[in-house]
Amino acid sequence: MYETFEHTADLGLLVEAADLNSLFAEAGRGLLSILVEDVDAVLPRHEVTIEVSGTERDYLLFDWLSELLYRYETEQLLFSQFDVTTGPNGLTAIARGESLDAERHEPTHEVKAITYHDFVVEPTANGWQAKLIVDI
Amino acid sequence: MNNPGFSGPLERVNDCCWRIPSSYKTGMRVDGLIYASDELIEHVRSDQAAEQVANVAFLPGIQVASLAMPDIHWGYGFTIGGVCATDPNEGGVISPGGVGYDINCGVRLVRSKLFHKDVGPHIETLIEEMFRNVPCGVGRAGKYHFNHKELRQLMQEGPTWLKQRGLATDADIEHTESRGRLDGARPDFVSERALTRGMKQCGTLGSGNHFMEVQVVDEVFDEEAAEVMGLEQDMVCVMIHSGSRGLGYQVCDDALKTLRGVPEKYGIDLPDRQLACAPVASPEGEQYVGAMRAAANYAWCNRQLLMWQAREVFETVFGQSWQELGMSLIYDVAHNIAKFEEHAIDGGRKKVWVHRKGATRAFPPGHPEVPEQYRQIGQPVMIPGDMGRASWVLVGQEGSMQQTFGTTCHGAGRQMSRTKAVRNAKGRRIDQELRARGVIARSRSWKGLAEEQPDAYKDVNLVVDVVHRAGLSKKVARMRPIGVIKG
């Protein structure tokens, strides 16, 4: 589950999932929901493997989302489905998506970056939660 | 998710300024000072922006006070509208968050010899042509592509490098803050990732609050200064608001990654990770300063190329060269930047790192860094408002040197979150509402226009009133939009 929340100049993203791997996958979809109008319009036409190294959970999520932003900006690639496997030294993800099609995907925001302000990844009674603010 | 207001102390200093005493939080090294009227201070109380002013006061080496301009609003780490100066000789730090992701985001204003009566009948064609030719919005590459080697040269020299390619003139460079070139830029400190992001984006507008706007001079407040700038009632101008695009965002991102764990290493205790910083005189600090300066020079080139494309659009629509149309650059200001400047502090003179995060340099008459043409009137300052009401041209005043390290406001400041603005626009056609107000607006997305609707911003006139009364800068002319393109 993900939802955006209010922040005066920018946008917040709240993500919840039963386990850590799903949290990373949901966060990827949550980010996509800020980039384009309709997440489901991004079809799983291509598959890429993305690896991100890191030993600290919150920085790993930060770097994972930054990597997705980078691929979007430099390769115009949008991803809507993720199989993420996190480990002690980083993560490996199979990401599925397609190239930006402005007509179909209706890009809505240019996200400048993920910010560290109020960035939280924490366990909850039902699994995991992450909260972050992106710079628009 | 609820956004609690600020419940800390805000003591009135005078009718333009409010103090957060350093006793508010353990760790504040100086007071916080917020410039605002009685009306605007109510906005300040409604979110966490004032808390961020207090947090900035924790930074080592901070001088005098953690300052905020009247367009203050809640940012991440630093407040937007924030100003702080740090002294390297007192362990002063440099903080990428005090500059922001969009390094050297800024504004330039181009005049013309055309008046509203000349342009009014062609405004639809002009905006359509602008929208077609000036790359804006997500994923739109520019027509200027630079390889990594060229980008490094461009970042070293700024628009001077573009001049060799026939894309800038001496007058353009003379009328750009710092002549579009910060010395000490280290393009070699800019990562491959940043270069890749920047290759096709120089000369593109971007998205969010960035815009290119056709304006007319609505009212002149200072005849002498307006005359020096070549501004007259009803004259048509073009205002451009953009920054360093993906290259700058990546430079900031890279720096913050490098700074993970660094404040702790230097024994710096911070209330917010986004305030991450390093002593200026440290390898991490020097790395950021060199890369930031390179990104700033890139941003000046971006606005230069955007202006160049605006000139071409006018040439196409009006069938005359841009020189014949009198489209000279009045001035270009940076409003997200850190600069090493000399200021009077505690009875002496010190060189300090002035961080301006959503704040504009406003040097007074006579200052040696003001171009000769403007030295008698003070440095021109461009304040974009919103796309329905007004923008402003100001000049720097002596009060800015005495109170705010030579700084004034940078815009209207948001008062409505993006989420709320979109909710507020449901079922409405913002473009048609603007048309009814005499503004032709083109945007890549409905949502983009909804988020940037005039009501999402404070009234820029209220903001400018405060900096005028406080003596930070002086009103020269109010500009009225007649057409705008957005990402």
Side-chain angles (χ1 to χ4, degrees):
Chain A
M1 191 286 295
Y2 61 82
E3 62 180 27
T4 56
F5 63 88
E6 292 189 16
H7 184 273
T8 311
D10 302 299
L11 266 179
L13 180 64
L14 177 71
V15 189
E16 288 173 355
D19 56 69
L20 204 54
N21 290 341
S22 310
L23 185 83
F24 277 67
E26 276 299 291
R29 282 177 66 81
L31 178 63
L32 180 65
S33 78
I34 295 174
L35 299 174
V36 297
E37 188 62 45
D38 183 2
V39 171
D40 294 325
V42 177
L43 305 174
R45 290 182 169 159
H46 303 290
E47 187 176 289
V48 299
T49 302
I50 298 174
E51 293 188 352
V52 182
S53 58
T55 53
E56 290 181 53
R57 196 183 300 124
D58 49 354
Y59 286 140
L60 188 63
L61 180 64
F62 189 102
D63 292 342
W64 157 242
L65 295 176
S66 298
E67 181 63 31
L68 293 177
L69 274 183
Y70 180 74
R71 303 249 174 165
Y72 177 46
E73 200 168 302
T74 56
E75 300 169 44
Q76 306 267 293
L77 284 174
L78 290 164
F79 300 105
S80 55
Q81 294 181 9
F82 306 94
D83 293 326
V84 183
T85 310
T86 54
N89 296 311
L91 67 80
T92 303
I94 310 292
R96 298 179 197 90
E98 61 176 328
S99 296
L100 171 70
D101 175 341
E103 290 296 311
R104 226 160 20 87
H105 299 140
E106 292 183 60
T108 47
H109 293 109
E110 182 183 64
V111 173
K112 289 176 187 162
I114 314 297
T115 79
Y116 294 83
H117 179 59
D118 286 345
F119 192 101
V120 180
V121 182
E122 60 192 4
T124 63
N126 301 316
W128 288 87
Q129 174 180 287
K131 207 175 86 176
L132 57 110
I133 289 165
V134 301
D135 186 10
I136 302 289
Chain B
M1 198 164 285
N2 279 335
N3 166 26
F6 178 68
S7 53
L10 279 170
E11 302 168 357
R12 183 190 288 277
V13 177
N14 56 43
D15 65 347
C16 294
C17 189
W18 305 75
R19 176 185 290 114
I20 306 170
S22 59
S23 55
Y24 168 51
K25 282 172 121 171
T26 307
M28 284 176 72
R29 296 165 192 263
V30 291
D31 292 343
L33 287 177
I34 299 175
Y35 285 80
S37 60
D38 285 18
E39 187 174 349
L40 290 173
I41 202 72
E42 291 312 312
H43 287 293
V44 175
R45 289 187 207 277
S46 70
D47 64 24
Q48 290 298 300
E51 191 71 27
Q52 294 182 324
V53 175
N55 288 346
V56 168
F58 280 62
L59 293 180
I62 187 168
Q63 303 291 302
V64 186
S66 163
L67 302 161
M69 297 295 115
D71 47 337
I72 174 176
H73 58 284
W74 191 28
Y76 41 85
F78 273 69
T79 180
I80 298 164
V83 183
C84 92
T86 57
D87 181 355
N89 291 327
E90 295 178 23
V93 292
I94 186 94
S95 175
V99 173
Y101 284 96
D102 197 358
I103 295 166
N104 187 6
C105 185
V107 186
R108 67 171 52 192
L109 186 70
V110 189
R111 64 185 286 278
S112 79
K113 284 181 183 164
L114 301 170
F115 288 81
H116 193 201
K117 64 177 171 41
D118 309 314
V119 173
H122 306 284
I123 188 67
E124 299 247 14
T125 314
L126 181 65
I127 294 301
E128 199 52 47
E129 193 68 13
M130 210 175 245
F131 192 60
R132 227 187 351 252
N133 286 286
V134 179
C136 58
V138 182
R140 291 252 305 177
K143 70 174 182 180
Y144 308 103
H145 293 189
F146 302 106
N147 62 33
H148 287 198
K149 187 179 165 209
E150 290 168 326
L151 275 180
R152 289 196 185 95
Q153 291 170 334
L154 179 151
M155 288 189 287
Q156 191 75 58
E157 298 175 36
T160 302
W161 188 75
L162 295 176
K163 191 186 141 196
Q164 302 156 16
R165 299 188 156 216
L167 296 166
T169 67
D170 285 332
D172 294 340
I173 293 161
E174 180 65 25
H175 289 169
T176 301
E177 181 174 324
S178 298
R179 298 176 56 83
R181 175 190 170 142
L182 294 183
D183 289 335
R186 294 292 301 266
D188 52 324
F189 289 169
V190 174
S191 69
E192 291 289 313
R193 277 171 93 91
L195 292 171
T196 301
R197 285 179 79 167
M199 283 169 72
K200 296 178 185 171
Q201 290 190 343
C202 205
T204 68
L205 202 52
S207 176
N209 61 1
H210 296 155
F211 64 79
M212 183 180 285
E213 196 166 277
V214 180
Q215 306 176 337
V216 294
V217 178
D218 198 33
E219 187 172 352
V220 172
F221 290 78
D222 184 320
E223 292 285 350
E224 185 209 345
E227 195 182 332
V228 172
M229 292 186 210
L231 287 173
E232 291 177 45
Q233 180 78 32
D234 283 336
M235 179 179 273
V236 169
C237 296
V238 179
M239 187 175 272
I240 298 165
H241 177 211
S242 189
S244 50
R245 314 289 293 111
L247 182 139
Y249 315 159
Q250 189 68 44
V251 165
C252 181
D253 207 41
D254 290 341
L256 290 170
K257 197 167 178 177
T258 305
L259 288 176
R260 288 175 186 173
V262 167
E264 294 84 345
K265 180 175 122 184
Y266 292 107
I268 301 168
D269 189 23
L270 296 170
D272 183 338
R273 269 195 288 186
Q274 190 70 36
L275 293 175
C277 57
V280 179
S282 68
E284 298 90 349
E286 285 169 8
Q287 169 96 18
Y288 172 68
V289 165
M292 182 269 294
R293 284 169 161 163
N297 295 347
Y298 176 95
W300 274 310
C301 290
N302 182 40
R303 288 197 290 279
Q304 174 67 29
L305 291 177
L306 283 165
M307 176 179 73
W308 205 261
Q309 292 170 92
R311 285 169 170 169
E312 288 171 348
V313 167
F314 270 72
E315 286 179 334
T316 303
V317 173
F318 295 101
Q320 287 177 278
S321 71
W322 67 263
Q323 291 91 341
E324 287 168 330
L325 291 166
M327 295 187 70
S328 47
L329 173 61
I330 293 178
Y331 203 60
D332 176 301
V333 287
H335 59 221
N336 276 4
I337 203 159
K339 294 173 96 175
F340 197 41
E341 296 172 355
E342 189 177 296
H343 288 278
I345 297 168
D346 298 335
R349 293 199 70 79
K350 286 186 181 179
K351 281 203 90 172
V352 289
W353 274 96
V354 183
H355 297 67
R356 299 191 176 98
K357 172 78 180 9
T360 317
R361 196 186 76 172
F363 283 170
H367 195 287
E369 282 202 39
V370 178
E372 207 169 320
Q373 184 188 339
Y374 302 130
R375 205 157 294 160
Q376 73 199 67
I377 58 168
Q379 177 214 307
V381 175
M382 315 307 168
I383 307 296
D386 62 70
M387 55 186 164
R389 282 175 286 197
S391 292
W392 281 87
V393 179
L394 314 175
V395 281
Q397 291 291 280
E398 195 52 45
S400 74
M401 298 311 277
Q402 294 154 0
Q403 303 173 61
T404 54
F405 302 106
T407 309
T408 189
C409 60
H410 90 304
R414 287 192 78 91
Q415 63 174 354
M416 205 185 267
S417 71
R418 292 180 182 278
T419 322
K420 194 172 170 193
V422 168
R423 229 172 21 236
N424 181 273
K426 277 268 151 57
R428 291 166 53 199
R429 284 285 303 270
I430 302 294
D431 57 340
Q432 288 179 4
E433 291 176 18
L434 285 166
R435 180 182 288 266
R437 294 163 78 159
V439 185
I440 305 300
R442 290 299 313 268
S443 171
R444 294 268 159 218
S445 78
W446 174 86
K447 206 177 234 179
L449 216 49
E451 292 181 359
E452 295 295 320
Q453 61 176 295
D455 292 343
Y457 286 88
K458 296 178 204 172
D459 182 351
V460 69
N461 300 313
L462 300 178
V463 171
V464 166
D465 270 341
V466 176
V467 295
H468 179 84
R469 283 192 291 119
L472 306 181
S473 47
K474 185 167 71 164
K475 294 177 185 178
V476 175
R478 188 180 62 230
M479 312 295 289
R480 184 178 83 247
I482 58 169
V484 61
I485 65 166
K486 302 277 300 178

